């Protein structure tokens, strides 16, 4: 019996588009091997379903900071074990399911999944809907990841109810150290369930409400703006600017928590803020220097399709078309592929 196909097919596609006027030419994907060193601050873990799986250094940093802070605050081995379990296996599984949600959504639309990288706020994947897909489908792919936290939260609530024999009156997000120490395995599992529920609420809120790339909210914002008839270039500028603003607010909050509250969460928040600010500046730079097509988000098929879109009926029916300040007869525009593509792109990108 022939083995069944893996859930994901590994395929690396790189498209080299020098400028918008060349976007109408036939693009041939080049099969290249993506080397681990091309992705900074990432540790390779293996693969799942044939897809390379990596973990971002911030994931390990968060685990270290939380366990270190717990050791300094409470000299209790049970509490330290709970913190390690939460920010280690529990968070890892939570984020992995989040990313698999993205992956299955992309696969259901005929897309490919090249790589999954896990980081504390949900991870990110190199994937996209298939050729010919719409931006609305990319919006769906972006939203499926956060939606998995609703299901995960429900599972943890059910497990908590089972451990507590249906009594939810003692539900509290605050970890009781004494109760944890004296309550045995039942208290350990109950606190783990409660904190896992908090994790899922925080992750769905961060990925939907924070409009900063590479968070899902940033990717969804670009899709919504483009669906609202904004040019892709304008949508990218808005998203990158919001990302930098949000990142600066996160950085201020992180410094405040760490400097005045001596909280390990503050230091980690500052690290994440720096990453968000850097991602926003990278997108802004790509738009400013005319290399937006090289940004990972805009290499997705749905955005490349916008650059390849032919002129609209209204544009092609006009008697003349203006390109770069020159007037060209409509018959010339239709016979000159390079100019007609530039007209189409001027209304989109």
């Amino acid at each position: 019996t022939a083995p069944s196909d893996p859930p994901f097919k590994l395929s690396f596609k790189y498209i080299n588009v020098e400028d918008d006027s060349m976007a109408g030419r036939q693009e041939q994907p080049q099969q290249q091997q993506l080397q681990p060193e091309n992705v900074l601050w990432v540790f390779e873990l293996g693969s799942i379903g044939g897809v390379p799986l990596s973990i971002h250094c911030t994931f390990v940093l968060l685990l270290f900071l939380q366990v270190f802070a717990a050791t300094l605050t409470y000299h209790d081995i049970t509490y330290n074990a709970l913190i390690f379990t939460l920010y280690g296996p529990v968070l890892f599984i939570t984020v992995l399911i989040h990313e698999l949600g993205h992956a299955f959504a992309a696969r259901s639309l005929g897309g490919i999944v090249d790589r999954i990288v896990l980081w504390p706020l949900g991870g990110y994947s190199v994937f996209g809907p298939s050729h010919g897909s719409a931006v609305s489908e990319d919006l769906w792919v972006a939203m499926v990841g956060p939606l998995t936290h609703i299901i995960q939260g429900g599972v943890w609530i059910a497990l908590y109810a089972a451990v507590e024999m249906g009594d939810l009156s003692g539900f509290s997000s605050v970890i009781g150290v004494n109760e944890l120490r004296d309550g045995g395995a039942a208290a350990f599992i109950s606190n783990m369930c409660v904190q896992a529920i908090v994790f899922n609420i925080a992750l769905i809120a961060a990925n939907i409400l924070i409009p900063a790339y590479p968070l899902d909210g940033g990717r969804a914002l670009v899709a919504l703006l483009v669906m609202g008839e904004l040019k892709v270039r304008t949508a990218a500028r808005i998203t990158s600017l919001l990302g930098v603003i949000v990142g600066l607010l996160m950085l201020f909050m992180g410094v405040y928590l760490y400097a005045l509250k001596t909280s390990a969460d503050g230091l980690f928040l500052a690290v994440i803020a720096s990453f968000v600010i850097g991602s926003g500046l990278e997108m802004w730079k790509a738009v400013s220097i005319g290399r937006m097509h090289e940004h990972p988000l805009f290499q997705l098929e749905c955005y490349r399709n916008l650059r390849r879109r032919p002129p609209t009926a209204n544009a092609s029916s006009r008697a003349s078309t203006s390109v770069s300040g020159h007037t060209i007869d409509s018959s010339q525009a239709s016979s000159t592929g390079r100019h007609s593509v530039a007209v189409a792109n001027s209304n989109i990108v």
Side-chain angles (χ1 to χ4, degrees), residues 254-270:
V255 172
Y256 170 78
L257 291 175
Y258 181 72
L260 300 182
K261 303 294 184 180
T262 62
S263 171
D265 292 335
L267 181 59
F268 175 72
L269 185 60

Side-chain angles (χ1 to χ4, degrees), residues 38 64 74 156 186 196 198 209 323 348:
N38 296 132
F64 171 78
Y74 300 103
W156 286 110
V198 173
L209 299 180
V323 180
I348 298 166

Side-chain angles (χ1 to χ4, degrees), residues 151-163:
I151 300 175
Q152 294 187 70
V155 172
W156 286 110
I157 291 175
L159 180 58
Y160 175 83
V163 172

Side-chain angles (χ1 to χ4, degrees), residues 8 39 43 68 70 103 105 120-121 149 192 240 263 272 281-282 284 286 288 295 302 316 349:
F8 311 121
V39 184
F43 304 100
F68 181 73
L121 292 184
H149 296 298
M192 182 181 66
S240 60
S263 171
I272 293 296
L281 292 176
E282 180 185 7
W284 182 274
S288 299
H295 190 276
C302 55
S316 62
V349 180

